[in-house]
Amino acid sequence: MPAEDDWSDSDEEVLSDAETSVQLGLPDGHLESSNDILDAAVSRIGGHPAFLTQEPPFESARCHNCSNSMELLVQLWCPLEDSPNDRALYIWGCARSGCQRKTGSIRAWRGLKLNEKYAAKLEKKQARQKQLEEARIKASAEEQARAAAAKTNPFAMKGPTNSNPSPFGLGAQVFGGTPTPSTITGAEAGPDMDDDEEDADDDEDSSEDEDDLVTAMASTTLEDSQWKTAPAYSPMYMSTVAEYLPPAPRARVSPEEALLEEAAEGKTKEGGWGMEGYENSMNLDQVFERFTRRVGYQGEQCIRYELSGTPLPFAGDSVFEQIFPVPSSPYVSVTKAAFNATAAKRTYDPSALPSCPICKGKRVFECQLMPNLISVLETSAENKGSKFQTDAERRQEIEQALKGSGPVEVQGMQWGTCLVFSCEKDCCLEGTARATSAWREEVVLVQWDE
């Protein structure tokens, strides 16, 4: 037999990239299909918004500083698996130079609409999960009862003496007899069958759901709407890919040192970086260097999406201080006497963010806009301006510019990243009652480019 190569922990060993829980949004060509433009389920960069329900107030897209209507930067289709609502996120931005570095020049809104078909499926799924859990609890109790019975003396006589004892009775007592059909309940066998039925139903209804959604979007056209007159960048498709990070070189350290290092950096067993720490004395350059190194693995990213995840700070500014506060304890506790205590690192803490004004729920990080988005929008604006315009379109553009509501140069946007935080409960309420739709503004923290 050929000898197998010995395992080596050499630094030159080739390791595979690690997939994180972050989804990256990349530009993917111009959006020209009329159906896609009207479809809220199509994520996009620029363009006009496609709403799930009736048009929200036009003031939703006005800058808090200049009061002019802003351009849509991105629209994200982001429904939650355990929610009965269709869900989309809309982010507008003002590129006027006088509005930069001011709160209210970037605004984000969350749109919800009850999906009755999915709500029925979700209710059925939850009932089936509850049934399955009850079956597991029952099966576990029966197993424990059999285990307890097996501990009794197998040679002891049980019950009245049988006049015709079975010659295999002793073995049945020692090794356990075959369970009778009555011990297998329908709850134990039912869920698998329900899963198959659900898969079949999903396959049959998927095309119908898509047709229904497109029809619903077509009925909410913006042709006769004030939203149609708002300034807009050329719309582009947005594709989504998972983020991959190359592995760090494997250093020759003891297992204890490796565990200590991973605990300090916040790495998880799955290779994630959700609790990555920052030094207490971080300055702008150090935070920015880490930002550029992480983004450099996929430079085309315009969006980073990780619901309930950890944002990637752009600079060591006041926003960084707010969501990565100085730890209360200055040192990390170490159990090994051979190691000295190390300084505790900053970790993400969103507790300082304002709660949802509707349901009082906590805010969680959802996504952030990346610097490349500015370049992509700038390019789309230049391409739009180079296209042939009719006299009517040219007059309309001049009128909008004179009124201060026309398209503006995207170079005016000076942010490094825009962090969007949404309601943890994804509430859809009107007062205390549940509503069939909702339009809610979410929190945006902007780290400006110095």
Side-chain angles (χ1 to χ4, degrees):
M1 296 293 291
E4 296 182 357
D5 295 336
D6 294 336
W7 178 85
S8 172
D9 61 351
S10 172
D11 291 343
E12 298 178 356
E13 182 180 359
V14 178
L15 301 175
S16 60
D17 292 350
E19 179 180 356
T20 74
S21 56
V22 178
Q23 295 295 313
L24 305 178
L26 311 178
D28 196 15
H30 291 285
L31 197 163
E32 299 178 350
S33 169
S34 58
N35 286 339
D36 290 344
I37 291 176
L38 297 175
D39 190 349
V42 176
S43 296
R44 67 198 67 187
I45 295 174
H48 286 107
F51 298 114
L52 289 167
T53 57
Q54 296 180 354
E55 295 176 15
F58 189 69
E59 287 70 21
S60 301
R62 290 195 183 278
C63 176
H64 280 317
N65 303 288
C66 65
S67 299
N68 288 309
S69 57
M70 300 184 290
E71 290 85 357
L72 179 70
L73 304 182
V74 295
Q75 174 178 333
L76 303 176
W77 173 249
C78 47
L80 306 184
E81 182 179 0
D82 296 329
S83 172
N85 298 311
D86 290 333
R87 185 176 187 271
L89 194 66
Y90 306 81
I91 306 174
W92 281 274
C94 183
R96 292 171 178 79
S97 59
C99 300
Q100 303 307 299
R101 306 181 187 282
K102 294 182 179 180
T103 303
S105 60
I106 306 291
R107 300 178 67 182
W109 291 79
R110 170 172 52 95
L112 298 176
K113 179 185 178 182
L114 177 64
N115 186 324
E116 295 182 358
K117 285 187 176 181
Y118 187 74
K121 293 180 181 179
L122 184 61
E123 184 178 358
K124 181 180 178 181
K125 177 182 177 181
Q126 293 173 344
R128 185 171 55 256
Q129 290 177 341
K130 181 179 179 181
Q131 182 185 22
L132 180 59
E133 183 63 23
E134 291 175 350
R136 289 176 178 171
I137 294 175
K138 182 178 180 180
S140 177
E142 292 178 350
E143 180 64 25
Q144 292 177 359
R146 286 194 293 267
K151 295 179 180 179
T152 60
N153 184 1
F155 300 100
M157 299 300 292
K158 297 182 179 179
T161 303
N162 191 343
S163 58
N164 295 309
S166 169
F168 305 102
L170 181 59
Q173 292 184 25
V174 175
F175 302 104
T178 303
T180 61
S182 61
T183 62
I184 304 177
T185 64
E188 292 174 314
D192 292 336
M193 298 176 63
D194 290 341
D195 287 339
D196 295 338
E197 293 176 359
E198 180 193 20
D199 294 339
D201 293 340
D202 289 343
D203 293 338
E204 293 176 359
D205 295 340
S206 59
S207 59
E208 296 180 4
D209 292 342
E210 293 175 0
D211 293 340
D212 292 343
L213 184 59
V214 173
T215 302
M217 295 307 104
S219 65
T220 59
T221 177
L222 300 178
E223 291 298 332
D224 301 327
S225 167
Q226 189 177 9
W227 288 95
K228 187 65 176 180
T229 64
Y233 302 114
S234 296
M236 301 183 68
Y237 287 104
M238 182 191 302
S239 61
T240 305
V241 299
E243 181 189 41
Y244 288 89
L245 298 179
R250 179 173 294 178
R252 293 184 176 89
V253 297
S254 66
E256 291 82 2
E257 291 175 327
L259 289 175
L260 182 62
E261 180 180 354
E262 290 182 1
E265 294 186 357
K267 297 180 183 179
T268 63
K269 294 181 179 179
E270 293 77 14
W273 298 72
M275 293 296 293
E276 185 175 6
Y278 290 83
E279 299 291 348
N280 294 339
S281 60
M282 276 287 194
N283 57 38
L284 178 91
D285 291 337
Q286 291 173 314
V287 177
F288 179 72
E289 286 176 4
R290 178 172 286 189
F291 178 90
T292 55
R293 183 171 63 253
R294 181 74 174 267
V295 176
Y297 298 126
Q298 177 52 271
E300 294 184 1
Q301 60 184 276
C302 293
I303 301 291
R304 293 177 64 86
Y305 188 93
E306 187 186 14
L307 183 62
S308 299
T310 302
L312 181 65
F314 175 79
D317 56 5
S318 59
V319 173
F320 174 79
E321 295 287 343
Q322 180 180 359
I323 59 178
F324 286 87
V326 176
S328 56
S329 176
Y331 298 104
V332 174
S333 59
V334 181
T335 57
K336 296 289 185 179
F339 299 103
N340 295 324
T342 58
K345 293 188 177 183
R346 298 172 183 254
T347 56
Y348 172 58
D349 181 6
S351 60
L353 297 174
S355 59
C356 175
I358 305 299
C359 69
K360 311 305 178 184
K362 297 180 180 179
R363 301 279 187 177
V364 295
F365 171 73
E366 182 159 2
C367 68
Q368 64 186 102
L369 309 185
M370 305 303 289
N372 187 51
L373 177 62
I374 297 179
S375 300
V376 170
L377 292 173
E378 178 183 2
T379 302
S380 69
E382 292 175 352
N383 292 339
K384 182 178 181 180
S386 64
K387 291 182 179 180
F388 174 78
Q389 291 179 309
T390 64
D391 291 340
E393 290 174 339
R394 191 176 297 109
R395 283 196 301 270
Q396 183 182 14
E397 183 174 318
I398 294 174
E399 291 175 359
Q400 290 178 339
L402 292 175
K403 294 178 181 179
S405 60
V408 295
E409 293 298 327
V410 75
Q411 292 96 317
M413 289 192 294
Q414 301 172 10
W415 42 262
T417 188
C418 304
L419 311 176
V420 180
F421 302 85
S422 57
C423 173
E424 181 181 36
K425 298 180 180 179
D426 199 39
C427 62
C428 186
L429 302 173
E430 290 294 344
T432 58
R434 184 170 183 82
T436 57
S437 63
W439 181 250
R440 301 283 183 258
E441 185 166 15
E442 300 293 7
V443 172
V444 180
L445 299 182
V446 182
Q447 291 191 284
W448 300 100
D449 188 9
E450 297 295 339

